[in-house]
Amino acid sequence: MCGIVGYIGNKEALPILVKGLRRLEYRGYDSAGVAVAHGGNIKRVRAVGKIDNLADKLQSEKVPGTFGIAHTRWATHGGVTEENAHPHSDCTGKIIVAHNGIIENYRELQHNLLVGHTFVSKTDTEILAHLIEAFYQDSVKPANTPLPPSEGGMAATGDLRTAVEKALRKVRGTYGLVVMHQDHPDTLIAARLGSPLVIGVGDHEYFVASDTSPMLAYTQQVVFLDDGELAEITPNGFQIYNLHSQRVHKQSEQIDWNESEAEKNGLPHFMLKEIFDQPTVIKDALRGRLVEDDGTAHLGGLNMGEVEMRSVNRVILIACGTASYAAMVGKYAFERLAGIPTEVEVASEFRYRDPILDNHTLVFGISQSGETADTIAALREAKRKGAFVRGVVNVIGSTIARETDGGTYIHAGPEMAVASTKAYTNMIAVLVMYALQFGRLRRVTVATGERLVKAFREISVKMEQALQTSDKVKQIVEKYQGHKNFLFLGRGVNFPVALEGSLKLKEITYIHSEAYPGGEMKHGPIALLSPEFPVVAIMTKNQLYDKMRSNIEEIRARKAPIILIATEGDEAAKELADDVIYVPPTMELLEPIINTIPLQLFAYHMAVLLGKDVDRPRNLAKSVTVE
Ligand code: M6R
């Protein structure tokens, strides 16, 4: 939540900062701002609303300079106003900060340490600017306690890095932070605790951002800051320290994402592009991981030998939102293929229980961003209790990828739309491959393994076929556009598909929808049904087909309109439903990869028809880095 960009180098900073903010807009879009240093001054421009509003405002402003910071906000403390928009400044206007995270003890600091300072916003962040101001002032005139506001201008003799370090030692909470000072136009300070920050290393130019997307156009050499680290960056290089001024030595690494992956490529929305990316990126998830001859998969990053793998007697899949629905498919796969009892835990619940774990428990954290605060906290708890902890993550170098003892990148490429699509299908692919790998050490025969490997090989083509339903889905959406409620139903592996279809619809259209397992209908939800309450049901040809069919009959008897996702060639579906979307058959465990596609399209076309902001739905941010 919230996106930060910083630039220091030899180019004009403003276009780089604004373009960078557009890349990070998925992290928050309540308000945005930039600050650029030039000729001994800092110009700060902020605007409420999306980046376009800021860009419009900047059209009438001259903001030259080769050094600056920028921020796009998802409000936590303080309403959505220009005063509360970042970057924030200290009393003198010389120290400017942009922050992602929450400073929990900001009131305490304000009342105890910063008496006399003038606060102009209602944010927790502003405290950082004033704390740095106080310690900076202190470094100019030592032994000045309590920490006073600056009087008049400050000399450029202070120690900015140490001032930031001292300030950060006082705060409790989380931060990804960039700091600039008018009198230090060659220095950018960046620090991280709990909110991601990446340094991009160019040729006499450096970038700082919440993720790599703002810098991909300029460099693929990056350094990921770890918690408790602070970087001092100049146009000539950077140095990393801990919060006790000790140097930390880190090498930059090459990332293989490129800028075009983070573009819409001519399509109207990132979400549509990402839905249509799926047949391509699933190949990236599978590449080099399927072993034809042995009918198995091999995910090397697991970092477990066969003895350890055999010692696992319980699997826990921890995730939030869409990732948790991918995890539910993973549960079916682990139990069916490997015979290992598997639980899916919503991270925000897991972290506050006292989970019973031991060294025979394998915990996977599943996350697109790798930065979801609840998932990170839950994984730390699992690690503390001695479980094997592994990640299934998309964003390279993200916190979960770095903190777990192994795991697998899902290789979905940058996912820019807030509503997750391609990450979900790639997560399922990776989890089913893991289940196969464990299953082949236990009870899966080579013949069954080979069939699954073959189904994986065919999945991309079948996803292409599922995408061809787009026009048909659009027609159906036009027919149902006036409805205020939808019910999604599925059974077995298709229950998570129903949950995901319902979440997608809620997220981007704001239409109320519910999702239930088909067999649960008669225990309550059936009371909702009427001709005004359409049902979207997944009734593909698998072992629960007949059961699902009976559930559909029950709905028909209540006269609710029925939209069915059915297997190609299933003529009976037409008899049962008002509308049918046909998808190609595949092995049951892979069905969610195919069957979710028309539901993603359903939500997408509905949102477009209703004129909603598809890529940036209200109240949401892509990466939920606060509790
Ligand atoms: O980055 P993560 O996969 O950890 O994110 C988890 C959820 O916040 C995420 O899936 C959310 O539910 C999406 N907006 C769904 O489209």
Side-chain angles (χ1 to χ4, degrees), residues 485-605:
N485 302 287
F486 284 84
L487 181 68
F488 287 75
L489 289 184
R491 294 189 77 136
V493 288
N494 286 313
F495 172 46
V497 174
L499 286 163
E500 175 60 3
S502 170
L503 179 65
K504 288 285 93 85
L505 191 70
K506 280 187 255 245
E507 270 189 301
I508 62 168
T509 69
Y510 322 139
I511 293 174
H512 168 245
S513 72
E514 311 227 3
Y516 275 91
E520 191 61 15
M521 280 292 293
K522 48 185 141 343
H523 299 286
I526 201 162
L528 292 169
L529 295 186
S530 75
E532 281 72 52
F533 209 129
V535 175
V536 182
I538 303 110
M539 195 191 73
T540 40
K541 287 268 175 128
N542 60 31
Q543 55 173 333
L544 290 169
Y545 175 83
D546 290 334
K547 303 283 174 208
M548 193 66 202
R549 199 175 153 163
S550 304
N551 298 142
I552 304 296
E553 295 283 9
E554 291 158 10
I555 296 164
R556 234 160 86 89
R558 271 83 193 170
K559 301 201 165 25
I562 299 169
I563 304 162
L564 276 186
I565 310 294
T567 307
E568 277 165 5
D570 181 3
E571 291 302 316
K574 284 191 191 146
E575 310 291 311
L576 280 174
D578 297 83
D579 296 279
V580 183
I581 301 163
Y582 282 112
V583 290
T586 180
M587 270 182 88
E588 189 170 338
L589 282 174
L590 302 190
E591 278 189 15
I593 294 176
I594 302 294
N595 297 352
T596 306
I597 289 175
L599 302 187
Q600 295 169 340
L601 290 165
F602 188 84
Y604 173 78
H605 287 305

Side-chain angles (χ1 to χ4, degrees), residues 27 30 57 74 94 120 132 148 190 193 215 252 254 269 292 333 336 395 398 468 494 510 518 533 543:
R27 299 178 68 90
D30 293 338
K57 201 165 172 184
W74 188 89
K94 290 189 169 191
V120 295
I132 297 166
L193 186 73
M215 52 192 78
S252 64
Q254 171 89 17
H269 300 102
E292 242 94 26
R336 194 171 299 173
V395 175
S398 56
Q468 285 163 21
N494 286 313
Y510 322 139
F533 209 129
Q543 55 173 333

